[in-house]
Amino acid sequence: MKKLLLATFATVLVAGCSTITTEQFNALENRVSALERQVGSASDTASGAATAAASASRDAAAAQATAERALDAANAANERAERMAETCCARK
């Protein structure tokens, strides 16, 4: 991006289509560099957010699996209790 912008400015200067000064050119170059740093920072932040989201997704999946195991154990205990109640009541 920066190289393309600089090449465009150089082409315009060589063609004589603009009367840009060296100071103006340097100011534009500095602004482009600052914008590139901001883009890099935003990209790093987005990567960090994606990593955090993936981690949260893994944690949620693990929590769901644990909850499902707990529900299965509770259902099994309930079935055992029902069988025991049927056995006790059937003898009387």
Side-chain angles (χ1 to χ4, degrees):
M1 170 81 174
K2 185 177 179 180
K3 290 180 181 179
L4 176 63
L5 185 59
L6 293 175
T8 303
F9 284 137
T11 302
V12 169
L13 286 175
V14 170
C17 297
S18 176
T19 56
I20 189 170
T21 65
T22 303
E23 291 80 20
Q24 291 172 324
F25 181 80
N26 290 337
L28 288 172
E29 185 178 18
N30 289 337
R31 280 194 264 172
V32 168
S33 294
L35 288 173
E36 285 178 334
R37 285 190 299 276
Q38 288 177 346
V39 167
S41 176
S43 177
D44 292 344
T45 301
S47 294
T51 300
S55 177
S57 178
R58 284 190 302 274
D59 292 346
Q64 182 177 359
T66 300
E68 288 172 358
R69 285 193 304 272
L71 181 59
D72 290 342
N75 285 335
N78 189 41
E79 289 171 5
R80 282 192 305 272
E82 286 176 359
R83 282 194 306 270
M84 288 174 63
E86 289 171 1
T87 304
C88 288
C89 294
R91 288 186 189 173
K92 291 183 180 179

